[in-house]
């Protein structure tokens, strides 16, 4: 029988540990990646711009190196685009033609000369546009040839028309291997490619700086970059099964798709040179715990959340500890088991079982909308109301733990104190309370964990997903628990930055752990003193 | 919690009323002359038809006995006969019992403590109590002894130190703990703890010491020390001791009361009780023929 129990307890310990590991380890790993990760040059740019952090000179060198490594990407996209985007090319050619007319006027060329040059330019323009928009290779070659025949004409070659010849040349090169039948498909794919490149490397140099911070930088984290690379090289398409069957995802190679075209080398280049374009480096981003968040947690950290959580917890504990201990003292010391006490005890037990969202609604109705406005607070969610709600929520727990602790104090202490001429109050303060302190601290530990982690009670009473750092107790605040919840429900960004979400959760766990450790150490010290060693 | 107002009506002459400290010092020694009591005629504790009930259950009934100053009075009797009930009624620590009820009169230092105007704090300062199991507070040795004096408002450190030393000396513990006053009381042995509890009780300057089986948790050596201590203390204190140990009662006490089934069967000089008791039940009990 003994062996059986040993085995059973051993088994349950193993089971518990396994469950804990299965739940915690992936979470810790994911959350840990908010702080430990491979940061790219984009990350360092962001840190320098937004948080004024990092080595400016080194960053300048990095920027220069990566810019050079990236040039090839932009060039090959540009070249390829010239072959498949007739509308843009046509527009450019028209513009050149118009400018040419004005240039002629500026130079003072008039009369017949003017007329003949203009008509040549117009003809070249039309031929080129015809070529751009054609799918007939012969016609294109003929038209290009026609255009090139004017290349030697000094009147044209030394003017703005020079550009037109350049475009014609680029175009003829660009279309060399382009299958005109696929133009539309190419255009669509190219759009995707450009989008991915923007996400990977940030906006193209020379383009206006986007307003949103999150659009200003490429992939700040190496794993993000690798994901984008995968999307760039091997996109997924949905191929139809037989009628009535669901579509199936299928990966295909973009390099194959663009085989032979001017953009083909881009894929190999990205595959090989991505790390030169982004320069990933091991990063320990401890500032995650103090930074404000940028664009609802796309960048930045959880500083305000930590602050808010601590604030709520501390204010709640300021209410809970004395109230809980005093109530427990009343139940233990001052009352005999009469009806009133029985009712109070029943209320406490019932309250302990009420779902926390009910406390949230109670807090909204009572503290936010009724009680605090009586003292001149605006009737909107604020820290004080949220803390009070949390206090009410955890009060039963605190009372029960304190009551147990007070009851556990040996009766002989009390008798000894009373026999020495102490009053009941003195006896309680001087003897009973200190002796019950370890048990009360246990209650505090339990309450702390509860208060710091609850979301529902503060949902309506004092939190906001976006809020500045609170200046008074009448401001709303962000908290870790509410932040995790907010990112989990319907925030598109959360899917893009899972490390932020997990980071928040892990931070919450750590915070509670630290608070508890402090309380446990304190309890250990006190009970050591009480035991007299 | 002033002790001056609503004072117990009579108080020992030694207590300096209106003085700086409501406190008789040990070094003022010989308390009897100050109290101006005639040792053999005036009882320090006097109970008249005293009853105590636990709800409807009788704890003790009809106890009438006088306890004389500066002597040791032993209370013996079979288990459950109400010894503890009686001794705990003297300093009214029995008040803590939820449905407890006292009837009759019980005078301590001349004042009926069950009268409404009794100052419990003053009463308990006058009656030190030592319990069956050593029950020091989870504090240092010094703080344990200084607990009572501090309650009386003594804050001055050198004064406290003096009282602690005196009390520990009186409890024959000083030499053993003089260097570890800051240590926890729990680090002491059981016997030392019990003597510490005696010192703690002495520190409030009582004139009555109530001891409820003070040696039952101790080994013979420790018991011997406590008995020696009782011998010494009886010069200055009125001691009431409950004991199951007949030899102990015979050794330390001058008078012995025999309780049985909540009643006082016989109360007389110890020598008489043990050699020539008047009642058959007493004889049965002291000779060990009683169950
Ligand atoms: N708190 C209480 N509530 C109810 N009855 C009690 C309580 N304390 C004692 N009694 C009862 O009162 C009677 C006297 O008890 P008491 O403790 O005075 O006996 P005792 O002589 O001290 O016994 P012992 O030698 O075992 O200590 C016993 O019958 C006991 O059951
Ligand atoms: Mg007893």
């Amino acid at each position: 029988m003994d062996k059986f129990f040993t085995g059973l307890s051993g088994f349950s310990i193993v089971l518990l540990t396994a469950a804990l590991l299965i739940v915690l380890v992936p979470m810790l790993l994911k959350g840990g990646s908010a702080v430990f990760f491979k940061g790219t040059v984009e990350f360092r740019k962001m840190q320098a711009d937004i948080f004024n952090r990092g080595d400016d000179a080194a960053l300048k060198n990095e920027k220069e190196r990566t810019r050079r490594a990236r040039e090839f990407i932009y060039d090959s996209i540009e070249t390829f685009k010239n072959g498949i985007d007739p509308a843009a090319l046509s527009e450019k050619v028209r513009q050149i033609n118009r400018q040419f007319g004005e240039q002629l006027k500026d130079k003072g060329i008039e009369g017949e000369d003017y007329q003949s040059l203009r008509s040549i330019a117009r003809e070249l323009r039309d031929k080129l546009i015809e070529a751009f928009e054609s799918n007939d290779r012969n016609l294109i070659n003929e038209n290009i040839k026609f255009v090139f025949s004017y290349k030697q004409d000094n009147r044209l070659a030394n003017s703005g028309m020079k550009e037109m010849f350049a475009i014609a040349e680029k175009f003829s090169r660009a279309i060399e291997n382009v299958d005109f039948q696929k133009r539309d498909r190419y255009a669509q794919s190219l759009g995707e490619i450009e989008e991915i490149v923007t996400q990977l490397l940030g906006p193209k140099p020379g383009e206006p700086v986007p307003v949103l911070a999150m659009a200003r930088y490429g992939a700040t984290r190496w794993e993000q970059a690798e994901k984008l690379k995968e999307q760039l090289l091997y996109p997924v398409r949905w191929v139809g099964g037989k009628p009535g069957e669901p579509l199936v995802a299928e990966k295909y190679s973009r390099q194959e798709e663009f085989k032979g075209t001017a953009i083909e080398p881009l894929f190999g280049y990205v595959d090989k040179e991505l790390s030169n374009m982004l320069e990933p480096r091991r990063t320990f981003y401890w500032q995650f715990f103090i930074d404000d968040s940028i664009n609802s947690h796309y960048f930045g950290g959880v500083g305000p959340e930590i602050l808010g959580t601590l604030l709520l917890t501390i204010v709640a504990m300021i209410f809970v500890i004395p109230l809980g201990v005093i109530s427990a003292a009343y139940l233990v010391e001052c009352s005999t088991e009469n009806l009133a006490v029985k009712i109070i005890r029943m209320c406490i037990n019932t309250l302990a079982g009420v779902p926390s969202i009910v406390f949230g609604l109670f807090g909204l109705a009572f503290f936010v909308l009724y009680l605090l406005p009586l003292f001149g607070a605006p009737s909107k969610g604020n820290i004080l109301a949220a803390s009070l709600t949390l206090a009410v929520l955890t009060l039963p727990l605190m009372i029960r733990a304190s009551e147990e602790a007070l009851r556990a104090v040996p009766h002989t202490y009390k008798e000894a104190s009373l026999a020495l001429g102490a009053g009941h109050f003195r006896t309680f303060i001087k003897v009973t309370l200190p002796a019950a302190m370890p048990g009360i601290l246990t209650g505090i530990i339990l309450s702390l964990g509860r208060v710091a982690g609850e979301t529902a009670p503060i949902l309506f009473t004092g939190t906001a997903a976006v809020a500045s750092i609170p200046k008074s107790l009448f401001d709303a605040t962000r908290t870790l628990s509410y932040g995790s919840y907010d990112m989990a429900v319907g925030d598109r960004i959360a899917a893009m930055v899972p490390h932020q979400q997990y980071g928040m959760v892990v931070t919450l766990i750590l915070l509670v752990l630290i608070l508890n450790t402090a309380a446990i150490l304190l309890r250990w010290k006190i009970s050591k003193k009480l035991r007299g060693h | 919690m002033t002790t001056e107002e609503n004072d117990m009506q009579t108080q020992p002459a030694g207590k300096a009323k209106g003085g700086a400290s409501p406190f008789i010092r040990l070094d003022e020694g010989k308390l009897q002359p100050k109290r101006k009591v005639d040792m053999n005629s005036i009882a320090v504790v006097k109970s008249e038809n005293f009853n105590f009930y636990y709800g409807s259950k009788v704890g003790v009934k009809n106890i009438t006995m006088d306890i004389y100053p500066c002597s040791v009075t032993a209370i013996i009797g079979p288990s459950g006969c109400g010894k503890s009930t009686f001794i705990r009624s003297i300093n009214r620590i029995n008040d803590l019992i939820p449905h407890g009820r006292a009837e009759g009169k019980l005078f301590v230092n001349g004042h009926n403590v069950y009268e409404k105007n009794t100052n419990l704090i003053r009463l308990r300062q006058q009656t030190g109590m030592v319990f069956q199991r050593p029950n020091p507070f989870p504090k240092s040795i010094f703080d344990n002894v200084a607990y009572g004096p501090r309650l009386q408002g003594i804050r001055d450190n050198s004064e406290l130190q003096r009282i602690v030393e005196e009390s520990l000396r009186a409890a024959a513990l000083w030499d053993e703990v003089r260097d570890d006053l800051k240590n926890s009381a729990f680090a002491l042995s059981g016997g030392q703890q019990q003597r510490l509890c005696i010192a703690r009780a002495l520190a409030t300057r009582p004139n009555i010491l109530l001891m409820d089986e003070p040696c039952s948790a101790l080994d013979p050596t420790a018991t011997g020390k406590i008995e020696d201590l009782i011998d010494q203390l009886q010069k200055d204190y009125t001691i009431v001791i409950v004991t199951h140990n007949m030899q102990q009662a015979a050794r330390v006490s001058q008078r012995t009361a025999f309780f049985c089934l909540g009643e006082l069967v016989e109360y007389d000089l110890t020598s008489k009780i043990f050699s020539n008791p008047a009642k058959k039940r007493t004889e049965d009990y002291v000779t060990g023929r009683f169950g």
Side-chain angles (χ1 to χ4, degrees):
Chain A
M1 210 55 188
D2 238 19
K3 258 186 193 154
F4 174 71
F5 276 114
T6 316
L8 199 69
S9 57
F11 176 70
S12 58
I13 287 171
V14 169
L15 207 71
L16 260 174
T17 319
L20 210 66
L21 287 182
I22 289 168
V23 173
L24 275 187
V25 167
M27 195 139 83
L28 283 176
L29 286 180
K30 281 189 183 169
S33 77
V35 181
F36 294 103
F37 58 94
K38 274 183 161 181
T40 65
V41 64
E42 298 295 313
F43 177 77
R44 294 185 282 280
K45 278 187 210 169
M46 181 266 286
Q47 288 283 305
D49 293 351
I50 300 178
F51 297 105
N52 262 325
R53 233 174 249 147
D55 179 353
D56 278 348
L59 184 60
K60 213 174 150 204
N61 288 336
E62 262 178 10
K63 273 185 183 167
E64 181 54 28
R65 276 200 306 272
T66 51
R67 191 190 59 74
R68 261 184 276 127
R70 290 168 185 192
E71 258 170 8
F72 181 79
I73 303 278
Y74 294 118
D75 283 352
S76 46
I77 289 177
E78 185 65 20
T79 315
F80 180 71
K81 222 179 181 176
N82 286 337
I84 60 154
D85 193 355
L89 288 175
S90 306
E91 181 52 39
K92 242 187 200 161
V93 171
R94 282 197 190 97
Q95 204 184 338
I96 292 168
N97 179 44
R98 273 198 299 278
Q99 282 169 359
F100 180 61
E102 277 157 30
Q103 278 174 9
L104 288 181
K105 273 186 199 150
D106 288 350
K107 280 184 189 166
I109 298 170
E110 277 174 7
E112 217 149 282
D113 276 352
Y114 177 79
Q115 289 302 336
S116 75
L117 277 175
R118 284 293 287 163
S119 75
I120 293 170
R122 265 199 294 276
E123 195 176 0
L124 291 184
R125 178 196 69 188
D126 292 342
K127 286 277 185 197
L128 267 180
I129 290 177
E130 195 184 9
F132 290 155
E133 281 164 359
S134 167
N135 282 340
D136 181 349
R137 206 169 280 279
N138 289 334
L139 182 112
I140 293 171
N141 286 342
E142 238 167 66
N143 283 10
I144 298 279
K145 219 193 231 159
F146 177 80
V147 171
F148 280 173
S149 65
Y150 284 93
K151 218 176 170 180
Q152 309 308 327
D153 190 329
N154 274 336
R155 289 172 305 170
L156 299 175
N158 295 334
S159 73
M161 289 299 277
K162 198 170 57 181
E163 246 176 275
M164 208 187 277
F165 295 125
I167 288 175
E169 205 159 340
K170 267 192 199 161
F171 176 69
S172 71
R173 251 191 293 124
I175 60 158
E176 257 167 42
N177 294 306
V178 171
D179 181 350
F180 290 120
Q181 308 305 315
K182 292 184 186 164
R183 257 192 194 180
D184 283 349
R185 281 255 311 285
Y186 281 159
Q188 195 198 337
S189 210
L190 185 67
E192 273 171 39
I193 292 173
E194 284 189 297
E195 168 75 32
I196 294 175
V197 167
T198 315
Q199 280 178 29
L200 199 57
L201 305 178
K204 199 171 150 184
E207 271 178 14
V209 180
V211 184
L212 266 183
M214 58 186 278
R216 261 181 251 160
Y217 305 93
T220 50
R221 304 161 65 90
W222 183 241
E223 87 255 2
Q224 214 177 353
E226 284 189 314
K227 226 191 266 169
L228 288 167
K229 185 176 95 176
E230 181 71 14
Q231 279 175 30
L232 183 66
L233 300 184
Y234 302 102
V236 172
R237 74 178 151 213
W238 295 88
V239 285
K242 292 172 199 86
E245 277 176 26
L247 296 175
V248 206
E250 180 196 76
K251 279 196 172 174
Y252 65 99
S253 161
R254 239 195 268 262
Q255 192 165 11
E256 289 296 314
E257 188 188 7
F258 286 96
K259 203 161 186 70
T261 65
I263 205 172
E264 192 200 338
L266 178 136
F267 303 105
Y269 185 82
V270 169
D271 201 8
K272 278 219 306 286
E273 301 287 323
L274 187 62
S275 62
N276 285 335
M277 291 187 266
L278 289 170
E279 303 208 339
R281 221 176 288 154
R282 239 175 266 285
T283 309
F284 172 42
Y285 177 43
W286 62 268
Q287 292 99 335
F288 179 75
F289 298 113
I290 55 168
D291 277 351
D292 200 348
S293 85
I294 308 293
N295 290 152
S296 32
H297 290 290
Y298 193 77
F299 297 135
V302 293
E305 273 84 1
I306 293 180
L307 192 80
T309 305
L310 280 178
L311 213 63
L312 276 190
T313 310
I314 290 168
V315 177
M317 290 326 264
I318 288 175
F319 289 108
V320 166
I321 295 172
L323 264 179
V325 173
I326 290 171
S327 313
Y330 171 76
L331 288 176
V332 175
E333 302 282 339
C334 304
S335 63
T336 47
E337 278 298 306
N338 55 26
L339 189 66
V341 171
K342 273 185 192 137
I343 290 173
I344 291 174
R345 208 180 293 279
M346 202 180 73
C347 289
I348 291 169
N349 287 339
T350 313
L351 275 182
V354 170
S356 51
I357 186 72
V358 176
F359 283 101
L361 289 170
F362 161 76
L364 175 68
F366 184 66
F367 293 125
V368 178
L369 298 178
Y370 174 70
L371 187 67
L372 294 182
L374 291 185
F375 300 97
S379 53
K380 65 179 176 50
N382 59 62
I383 294 173
L384 192 62
S387 299
L388 284 169
T389 311
L390 286 171
V392 174
L393 168 89
T394 188
L395 198 56
L397 193 88
M398 189 67 211
I399 293 178
R400 271 205 260 172
S402 313
E403 197 188 335
E404 251 163 59
L406 289 174
R407 273 192 205 289
V409 175
H411 203 244
T412 54
Y413 290 176
K414 222 172 110 176
E415 279 181 351
S417 169
L418 289 171
L420 287 170
H424 281 274
F425 182 71
R426 241 5 137 95
T427 300
F428 180 75
I429 297 292
K430 287 259 157 89
V431 177
T432 314
L433 194 59
M437 218 52 207
I440 291 174
L441 272 169
T442 307
I444 293 177
I445 290 170
L446 291 174
S447 303
L448 258 185
R450 184 104 202 258
V451 165
E454 275 290 352
T455 314
I458 54 176
L459 209 54
F460 321 116
T461 50
T463 49
V466 186
S468 47
I469 292 166
K471 286 176 197 63
S472 80
L473 287 183
F474 293 112
D475 289 338
T477 182
R478 296 187 248 167
T479 76
L480 288 167
S481 58
Y482 181 68
S484 317
Y485 161 79
D486 187 57
M487 286 194 93
V489 293
D491 193 331
R492 194 174 53 87
I493 290 175
M496 294 195 262
V497 283
H499 59 273
Q500 292 274 16
Q501 195 181 2
Y502 281 100
M504 220 184 284
V505 175
V506 171
T507 310
L508 180 56
I509 295 177
L510 282 182
L511 194 73
V512 173
L513 215 63
I514 290 171
L515 289 176
N516 280 2
T517 312
I520 288 170
L521 281 180
L522 192 65
R523 183 178 62 184
W524 178 72
K525 257 186 94 173
I526 290 178
S527 47
K528 209 176 83 169
K529 213 176 122 196
L530 288 182
R531 270 183 282 113
H533 298 295
Chain B
M1 225 174 290
T2 58
T3 50
E4 291 304 331
E5 60 196 13
N6 192 19
D7 202 345
M8 282 181 64
Q9 280 163 352
T10 49
Q11 58 165 210
K15 304 249 165 179
K17 200 164 190 175
S21 147
F23 216 72
I24 318 169
R25 290 180 177 168
L26 272 194
D27 56 359
E28 284 166 4
K30 304 153 206 66
L31 292 169
Q32 298 83 33
K34 288 206 168 186
R35 241 181 270 130
K36 293 190 183 101
V37 284
D38 176 350
M39 271 186 72
N40 293 314
S41 59
I42 294 186
V44 174
V45 178
K46 189 178 179 70
S47 92
E48 288 174 5
N49 294 322
F50 181 77
N51 303 317
F52 191 90
Y53 301 92
Y54 295 101
S56 55
K57 196 170 164 213
V58 178
V60 289
K61 59 175 186 264
N62 236 345
I63 307 291
T64 301
M65 70 185 273
D66 292 352
I67 292 170
Y68 298 103
C70 297
S71 66
V72 179
T73 305
I75 300 180
I76 58 170
S79 186
C81 65
K83 306 182 293 291
S84 298
T85 306
F86 179 68
I87 201 174
R88 291 162 63 88
S89 296
I90 295 174
N91 66 348
R92 285 188 58 178
I93 209 83
N94 260 353
D95 285 11
L96 291 179
I97 287 154
H99 299 287
R101 184 162 49 86
E103 275 173 8
K105 291 176 183 163
L106 208 161
F107 296 90
V108 173
N109 293 328
H111 175 72
N112 183 0
V113 297
Y114 284 93
E115 249 164 42
K116 275 221 170 60
N117 64 354
T118 303
N119 181 340
L120 281 181
I121 288 164
R122 179 52 63 85
L123 166 66
R124 287 169 184 164
Q125 282 167 9
Q126 292 174 2
T127 52
M129 188 163 219
V130 179
F131 297 82
Q132 184 167 354
R133 298 197 155 271
N135 59 350
F137 298 127
K139 299 172 188 287
S140 71
I141 294 172
F142 184 92
D143 287 343
N144 261 285
V145 182
Y147 188 84
R150 278 185 177 138
L151 285 177
Q152 295 169 2
I154 298 176
R155 289 274 168 273
D156 178 45
N157 219 29
S158 57
E159 173 87 352
L160 280 175
Q161 237 143 18
R162 213 178 45 71
I163 295 169
V164 168
E165 182 179 339
E166 266 170 21
S167 308
L168 284 171
R169 275 190 199 284
L173 189 61
W174 174 252
D175 292 330
E176 288 158 69
V177 299
R178 59 188 308 163
D179 298 324
D180 325 303
L181 292 180
K182 290 273 165 285
N183 286 7
S184 166
F186 286 11
L188 297 176
S189 75
Q192 287 173 324
Q193 285 187 14
Q194 195 62 303
R195 275 179 284 152
L196 177 67
C197 291
I198 294 173
R200 184 176 65 183
L202 297 181
T204 60
R205 301 297 186 263
N207 62 339
I208 302 166
L209 209 51
L210 307 171
M211 300 176 141
D212 191 354
E213 301 183 43
C215 302
S216 64
L218 305 180
D219 66 71
T221 327
T223 303
K225 283 192 179 169
I226 303 269
E227 284 178 11
D228 290 347
L229 178 58
I230 291 172
D231 245 8
Q232 300 221 330
L233 291 175
Q234 63 159 304
K235 290 198 300 272
D236 302 320
Y237 298 89
T238 308
I239 295 175
V240 184
I241 178 169
V242 171
T243 177
H244 271 139
N245 184 333
M246 237 63 75
Q247 281 84 23
Q248 187 175 58
R251 275 198 301 270
V252 299
S253 68
Q254 281 86 48
R255 285 185 178 76
T256 297
F258 172 59
F259 275 51
C260 193
L261 296 173
E263 284 178 274
L264 175 63
V265 176
E266 192 172 348
Y267 176 44
D268 213 324
L269 291 174
T270 302
S271 50
K272 182 136 189 297
I273 292 276
F274 282 97
S275 58
N276 184 21
K279 300 260 168 70
K280 178 84 170 63
R281 277 195 289 175
T282 317
E283 190 181 348
D284 286 348
Y285 185 75
V286 297
T287 51
R289 255 172 284 162
F290 187 91

